[in-house]
């Protein structure tokens, strides 16, 4: 099987077929390497390259299917394994959750109830200038 392995063909196969194909590819690679040492032709080098890439494709499909199965298994569990969690950044992972951030202590509730945020009415005067409408506060240094 010196032809390149296509990833599209691999996705349909089951795990046992993939493992068998991986063993075959590795055996073929070992034999090509021994021929290379013995003094084979340069065409062997490209075959070695293609085989290595094919092995990588098979391993990629095996690992991807394994991860998708694990994601299904842990779907409704309380904890996810570290390698299946969202990477993000360290700071983002340590940030408070939306629920934790929204919590208000009893003391804070009382303080907000008894001393609410004051509402101020600001007097504004309209003035017209050459470059359009301007807003200016009445009173203070600006008027």
């Amino acid at each position: 099987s010196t032809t390149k392995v296509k990833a599209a063909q691999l996705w349909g196969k089951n795990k046992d077929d993939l493992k068998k194909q991986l063993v075959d590819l590795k055996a073929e690679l070992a034999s090509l390497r021994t021929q290379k040492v013995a003094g084979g032709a340069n065409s062997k080098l490209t075959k070695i390259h293609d085989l290595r890439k094919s092995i990588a494709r098979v391993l990629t499909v095996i690992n991807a299917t394994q991860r998708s199965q694990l994601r299904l298994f842990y779907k409704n569990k309380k904890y996810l394994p570290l390698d299946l969690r969202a990477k993000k950044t360290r700071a983002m992972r340590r940030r408070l959750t939306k629920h934790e951030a929204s919590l208000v202590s009893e003391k804070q509730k009382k303080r907000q109830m008894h001393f609410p945020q004051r509402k101020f009415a600001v007097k504004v005067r309209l003035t017209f200038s050459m470059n359009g409408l301007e807003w200016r506060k009445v009173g203070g240094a600006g008027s």
Side-chain angles (χ1 to χ4, degrees), residues 70-81:
L70 282 170
R71 280 192 195 284
L72 284 173
F73 177 75
Y74 284 105
K75 189 169 185 134
N76 296 321
K77 303 277 192 293
K78 187 175 180 184
Y79 297 111
L80 255 181

Side-chain angles (χ1 to χ4, degrees), residues 36-47:
K36 178 186 151 192
V37 170
N42 282 345
S43 63
K44 298 274 190 284
L45 291 175
T46 55
K47 282 183 181 174

Side-chain angles (χ1 to χ4, degrees), residues 27-80:
E28 193 174 343
L29 180 64
S31 69
L32 277 176
R33 282 196 170 136
T34 53
Q35 289 174 20
K36 178 186 151 192
V37 170
N42 282 345
S43 63
K44 298 274 190 284
L45 291 175
T46 55
K47 282 183 181 174
I48 287 174
H49 175 269
D50 291 346
L51 269 175
R52 286 178 60 232
K53 299 304 170 190
S54 297
I55 289 170
R57 282 188 196 99
V58 172
L59 284 171
T60 300
V61 170
I62 289 171
N63 289 332
T65 50
Q66 195 172 15
R67 283 175 69 84
S68 65
Q69 293 296 321
L70 282 170
R71 280 192 195 284
L72 284 173
F73 177 75
Y74 284 105
K75 189 169 185 134
N76 296 321
K77 303 277 192 293
K78 187 175 180 184
Y79 297 111
L80 255 181

Side-chain angles (χ1 to χ4, degrees), residues 19-142:
K19 293 271 188 189
K20 186 178 176 296
Q21 188 167 5
L22 186 64
V23 169
D24 294 344
L25 288 169
K26 283 185 175 181
E28 193 174 343
L29 180 64
S31 69
L32 277 176
R33 282 196 170 136
T34 53
Q35 289 174 20
K36 178 186 151 192
V37 170
N42 282 345
S43 63
K44 298 274 190 284
L45 291 175
T46 55
K47 282 183 181 174
I48 287 174
H49 175 269
D50 291 346
L51 269 175
R52 286 178 60 232
K53 299 304 170 190
S54 297
I55 289 170
R57 282 188 196 99
V58 172
L59 284 171
T60 300
V61 170
I62 289 171
N63 289 332
T65 50
Q66 195 172 15
R67 283 175 69 84
S68 65
Q69 293 296 321
L70 282 170
R71 280 192 195 284
L72 284 173
F73 177 75
Y74 284 105
K75 189 169 185 134
N76 296 321
K77 303 277 192 293
K78 187 175 180 184
Y79 297 111
L80 255 181
L82 294 178
D83 60 335
L84 295 181
R85 292 180 195 174
K87 181 84 167 89
K88 298 183 181 173
T89 62
R90 192 167 189 266
M92 286 172 79
R93 290 194 303 267
R94 276 150 185 72
R95 192 182 292 161
L96 290 176
T97 62
K98 291 239 185 330
H99 174 69
E100 290 168 343
S102 69
L103 292 177
V104 182
S105 69
E106 201 62 38
K107 187 174 183 178
Q108 193 67 28
K109 280 180 197 165
K110 285 179 186 172
R111 185 178 289 159
Q112 286 169 352
M113 190 168 54
H114 295 300
F115 306 102
Q117 178 73 50
R118 292 196 173 175
K119 295 179 180 74
F120 295 98
V122 179
K123 242 178 159 181
V124 173
R125 179 177 62 199
L126 284 177
T127 57
F128 289 94
S129 67
M130 293 301 288
N131 43 339
L133 205 58
E134 286 184 5
W135 297 86
R136 285 202 182 139
K137 284 185 201 171
V138 175

